[in-house]
Amino acid sequence: MKLIFLTLATIILVFINIYVGAVSFSFQEITAVLTGNSNDPSLRFIVLESRLPQAVTSLLAGAGLAACGLMLQTVFRNPLAGPSILGITSGSSLGVAIVLLLFSGSITFGFETIGGNLAVLSGALVGSFAIMTLLLILAERIKSNLTLLIVGMMTGYLSSSLVTLLSSISSARNIQSFVNWGMGTFSDVSISQLPLFTTVVLIGLCLSLLMAKPLNLLLMGDFYAQSMGVKVKSVRRILLISTGLLSAIITSMCGPISFIGLAMPHVARLIMRTDDHFILMPATMLCGAVLALAVNVISVCHGGMVIPVNALTPVAGVPVVLYILIKRK
């Protein structure tokens, strides 16, 4: 019943994202666009190429980040683990910083020059996958989850220090571009980029759902999981691939969105009252989608001024984290 309620809430918020925005249109006008009965090109553009991609992006990004948070918190047995904990988000930030701060937003390969959003996307993806590849190599050598977690954190700190170094030698204009990217938004995924974004995120979400059984066994400890036939190293490898895929594509296209991955698994546990990942994983994805969709509506419906996503997600995330810290002393 609770999963049905979360599903209905998600569907309702998707339609609210499509029907409500900075520019007001009647219910009949937007319905006509969705049913293919409108000939107004400006209205069709706003609904089909702006609001619809934003709604889908918010839905998938929220679900993906929340799933990452749940998997990391379970495997590392750390209630404060999130998608940024392994340094993959910091790797994206470093890649974008190199593009925006060092190359002023454009990269030249021979006679070809890549600029704009494509350059930012390329830098973020390269940075993310570089860190993910490093972690996969180290995961083959490091047996301890705690050690791997610390290595990921140190990698994140190193990436952040390099970003600070690049900021210190860059121009004010380039720094402003990087700061704008770091604020987070669900509006930068265009209708042409949406198929790629959707495909990669859905692959990551499917991998997350397939990990429900081994995650349940890992709750009892690595030795118990191994005695039940779980290959812990393989599970950890799949976890790194799925969280890496989700974190890389979402961070590169939406910016480093905070607190969704950290807080939503706890919200799902409070709602569902279970640690069974067959129930908890889809509930966590739905909670992440609900928060992201709600934040997107609020961010664009504020008198014509767009509020950065990262200015809103802590409002929901910080109270949850404080509650967990106080509850667990």
Side-chain angles (χ1 to χ4, degrees):
M1 180 61 76
K2 294 177 181 178
L3 280 176
I4 295 174
F5 174 78
L6 287 173
T7 303
L8 289 175
T10 303
I11 294 171
I12 291 170
L13 280 168
V14 168
F15 281 100
I16 291 175
N17 272 262
I18 296 173
Y19 279 85
V20 178
V23 182
S24 298
F25 297 103
S26 69
F27 180 86
Q28 291 78 10
E29 287 177 315
I30 296 178
T31 302
V33 173
L34 295 177
T35 56
N37 296 320
S38 174
N39 295 320
D40 187 340
S42 59
L43 180 57
R44 288 175 59 85
F45 177 84
I46 290 173
V47 174
L48 298 180
E49 298 193 29
S50 178
R51 292 186 184 179
L52 182 60
Q54 278 190 54
V56 175
T57 301
S58 304
L59 171 70
L60 294 175
L65 291 173
C68 287
L70 177 60
M71 289 188 289
L72 293 171
Q73 288 170 15
T74 300
V75 171
F76 293 113
R77 299 185 190 86
N78 187 333
L80 298 181
S84 61
I85 198 71
L86 291 177
I88 297 172
T89 301
S90 297
S92 285
S93 297
L94 178 59
V96 173
I98 291 173
V99 171
L100 294 178
L101 301 179
L102 195 60
F103 295 106
S104 300
S106 62
I107 309 172
T108 301
F109 299 97
F111 298 102
E112 294 291 331
T113 299
I114 301 175
N117 289 336
L118 183 57
V120 172
L121 174 61
S122 301
L125 286 175
V126 169
S128 295
F129 282 108
I131 299 297
M132 188 176 72
T133 302
L134 174 64
L135 290 173
L136 284 171
I137 294 172
L138 292 175
E140 298 298 321
R141 298 172 176 267
I142 298 173
K143 295 182 179 180
S144 169
N145 283 335
L146 179 60
T147 304
L148 185 63
L149 183 67
I150 293 172
V151 169
M153 292 174 64
M154 294 301 103
T155 304
Y157 288 136
L158 177 61
S159 299
S160 297
S161 67
L162 293 175
V163 170
T164 303
L165 176 63
L166 291 172
S167 299
S168 67
I169 62 175
S170 185
S171 65
R173 179 183 176 185
N174 291 342
I175 292 173
Q176 184 61 47
S177 298
F178 180 72
V179 169
N180 290 339
W181 175 81
M183 290 180 178
T185 179
F186 296 124
S187 62
D188 281 351
V189 180
S190 65
I191 193 69
S192 60
Q193 296 170 334
L194 193 59
L196 171 64
F197 180 80
T198 302
T199 301
V200 176
V201 174
L202 287 178
I203 290 173
L205 292 177
C206 289
L207 287 174
S208 304
L209 290 170
L210 291 174
M211 291 189 67
K213 182 177 179 179
L215 287 173
N216 279 343
L217 294 173
L218 285 171
L219 285 174
M220 307 300 294
D222 288 354
F223 291 111
Y224 177 80
Q226 287 176 340
S227 69
M228 297 298 292
V230 174
K231 297 180 179 179
V232 176
K233 287 185 68 174
S234 297
V235 169
R236 191 166 58 177
R237 194 181 302 118
I238 296 172
L239 171 109
L240 288 173
I241 292 172
S242 58
T243 56
L245 276 175
L246 290 169
S247 299
I249 194 69
I250 293 170
T251 303
S252 63
M253 290 192 167
C254 305
I257 308 297
S258 62
F259 280 102
I260 292 179
L262 176 60
M264 289 305 101
H266 297 297
V267 173
R269 289 189 186 97
L270 291 172
I271 294 173
M272 305 308 296
R273 301 290 181 182
T274 181
D275 285 324
D276 183 0
H277 285 75
F278 285 105
I279 298 173
L280 194 57
M281 183 62 77
T284 300
M285 292 178 182
L286 290 170
C287 286
V290 166
L291 177 61
L293 287 164
V295 163
N296 188 61
V297 171
I298 297 171
S299 69
V300 299
C301 297
H302 195 74
M305 181 181 70
V306 177
I307 302 175
V309 169
N310 277 335
L312 296 172
T313 50
V315 175
V318 169
V320 174
V321 175
L322 291 176
Y323 172 78
I324 296 301
L325 289 173
I326 294 170
K327 183 180 178 182
R328 300 198 177 193
K329 302 180 181 180

